[in-house]
Amino acid sequence: VDPVTENANPLLESVARAFPDEVLLRETSCGMEILTVQPRRLTEIFDLLRDKEQVDFLADVTAVDCLKLDRPWDFEVVYQLCSTPRGFLRARLKAAVHGRSKPSLPTATGHWESAGWPEREVMEMFGIAFEGHPDPRKLLLPENFESFPLRKDYPVKGLGEREAFPVLDRAFQPARKES
Amino acid sequence: MGIEAQLSQYVLTSKLDAVINWGRKNSLWPMPFGTACCAIEMMAMLASRYDLARFGAEVIRFSPRQADLMIVAGRVPIKLMPVLQRIWTQMPEPKWCISMGACASTGGVFDNYAVVQGVDRFVPVDAYVPGCPPRPEQVMNAVFEIQKKIQKEKLAERN
């Protein structure tokens, strides 16, 4: 973990100061500072950001499958945060998730209601459960879809979902001529 | 001594097949199943410049129960396929289907888990229109092909 730097993003700075043991990785990508944290005290980090740092807008929740990345965890759930009273100050927070069989995280819907739909999408696409989500139905996929399509071990052409329909024909068939 | 010899001024005899098929082919009522950019070309075909009304197929019906020609214009994802099948079964016989464009016919460039690779795998298709999207003239040609097909149908072979 890098030492706390000058001119750092004040939102992530505050998280790194308050929860030094939770920080796993601090990096900058394309000019955007990114803080990766452990998931165990995520709710407290959300409390801090919302109540102390005036983060009132969660722009997006998405996830990354680290199967082919050199990372010690399996998934990263990405939170795009924004504080409108502080001049639309933005921050990118990632939560590291371990385990591919039944990974789970606490939901952010208690802090920002806009987490509802993106978390549903992460649930159906990556199979990461959000504990306490008020409406954990699928968002885009059909109800009976069982796989997680955005995982890197899922084939692009699917597992036969696009073939699983009854074949309809006309009620009346033109009589075939005997040849 | 046929009836025409007696009443040639008033009566024209024909075959029942020919009369019914003539009526059917010149009064196709399309059900537009437009899901993507092909639907824009389909609308152009129906509008005044190309004007499918000249060939009797101008009455677009958004209720499948009043339509007899389904035009599948655009890609069909797995979530929409049950809807398409339900609409197809709701259409009364006799009915015909045009698969318009690369996506409806083969899945097009969308070779992934979510897109059905050709609606003809699950519903019967009478005419395929190549193109991405096809020009309105091409879709009109498909309508003409279906008209030719209807004219050749034999009522005795149905049922």
Side-chain angles (χ1 to χ4, degrees):
Chain A
V1 176
D2 291 337
V4 176
T5 52
E6 298 285 326
N7 302 324
N9 184 308
L11 301 176
L12 299 181
E13 187 70 37
S14 161
V15 174
R17 279 186 200 281
F19 301 92
D21 295 340
E22 301 299 301
V23 176
L24 289 167
L25 185 65
R26 198 162 177 183
E27 59 190 332
T28 304
S29 171
C30 304
M32 185 92 182
E33 223 185 324
I34 305 166
L35 188 71
T36 308
V37 297
Q38 305 258 26
R40 54 193 176 191
R41 295 177 74 187
L42 196 58
T43 314
E44 293 171 56
I45 294 173
F46 289 157
D47 282 338
L48 170 82
L49 286 167
R50 183 188 62 177
D51 301 331
K52 301 264 170 57
E53 299 295 333
Q54 295 179 290
V55 173
D56 57 352
F57 177 39
L58 178 64
D60 197 10
V61 182
T62 183
V64 179
D65 186 350
C66 301
L67 186 69
K68 288 168 185 171
L69 300 175
D70 188 22
R71 296 273 161 102
W73 44 83
D74 292 295
F75 298 98
E76 293 168 354
V77 175
V78 188
Y79 298 89
Q80 299 281 6
L81 301 158
C82 179
S83 171
T84 57
R86 296 171 68 177
F88 292 89
L89 182 61
R90 299 196 299 154
R92 182 177 300 164
L93 183 74
K94 286 184 178 180
V97 184
H98 291 271
R100 298 189 72 81
S101 62
K102 278 188 177 175
S104 79
L105 274 184
T107 181
T109 48
H111 295 78
W112 302 283
E113 281 192 40
S114 64
W117 280 22
E119 282 187 353
R120 279 168 68 184
E121 195 178 354
V122 170
M123 276 191 271
E124 67 180 4
M125 292 291 178
F126 292 91
I128 300 169
F130 285 94
E131 305 292 337
H133 193 285
D135 183 20
R137 289 176 301 149
K138 288 188 190 296
L139 177 67
L140 301 168
L141 291 172
E143 292 281 313
N144 58 357
F145 203 93
E146 286 169 358
S147 311
F148 306 118
L150 285 189
R151 286 193 179 187
K152 291 297 175 194
D153 52 2
Y154 182 85
V156 173
K157 295 181 183 184
L159 298 169
E161 293 91 349
R162 64 187 188 183
E163 309 292 340
F165 299 100
V167 178
L168 297 185
D169 219 329
R170 280 169 240 275
F172 302 108
Q173 284 293 319
R176 294 236 172 98
K177 283 187 183 130
E178 303 292 326
S179 59
Chain B
M1 278 300 265
I3 192 166
E4 274 186 358
Q6 298 289 322
L7 299 163
S8 59
Q9 279 184 297
Y10 315 106
V11 175
L12 184 67
T13 56
S14 178
K15 287 193 279 187
L16 189 61
D17 273 355
V19 174
I20 288 179
N21 288 338
W22 174 76
R24 278 180 179 165
K25 82 168 187 181
N26 287 311
S27 63
L28 285 168
W29 285 21
M31 154 76 219
F33 198 90
T35 56
C37 36
C38 278
I40 303 295
E41 297 297 309
M42 181 176 65
M43 290 172 217
M45 171 183 75
L46 298 162
S48 53
R49 180 177 289 260
Y50 293 96
D51 198 11
L52 198 63
R54 292 177 292 160
F55 310 102
E58 79 275 27
V59 191
I60 294 294
R61 287 289 130 166
F62 292 92
S63 162
R65 297 185 196 283
Q66 300 171 345
D68 57 3
L69 172 65
M70 183 163 75
I71 304 178
V72 185
R75 68 196 87 90
V76 180
I78 52 174
K79 209 173 174 181
L80 198 58
M81 198 62 204
V83 180
L84 187 145
Q85 291 198 318
R86 184 161 184 185
I87 286 176
W88 174 254
T89 48
Q90 282 175 341
M91 285 166 61
E93 296 275 350
K95 56 191 171 188
W96 298 274
C97 178
I98 293 176
S99 169
M100 177 182 173
C103 298
S105 304
T106 67
V109 296
F110 303 99
D111 187 8
N112 62 41
Y113 69 96
V115 177
V116 174
Q117 302 296 296
V119 293
D120 59 341
R121 294 180 176 217
F122 306 112
V123 294
V125 171
D126 294 282
Y128 300 85
V129 188
C132 184
R135 292 213 34 103
E137 295 96 322
Q138 287 175 269
V139 195
M140 292 172 83
N141 191 54
V143 175
F144 300 156
E145 291 299 322
I146 283 184
Q147 288 183 336
K148 283 181 203 162
K149 188 173 181 175
I150 295 170
Q151 188 65 66
K152 279 188 233 153
E153 280 190 359
K154 288 189 171 60
L155 296 177
E157 286 183 359
R158 285 193 172 267
N159 200 352

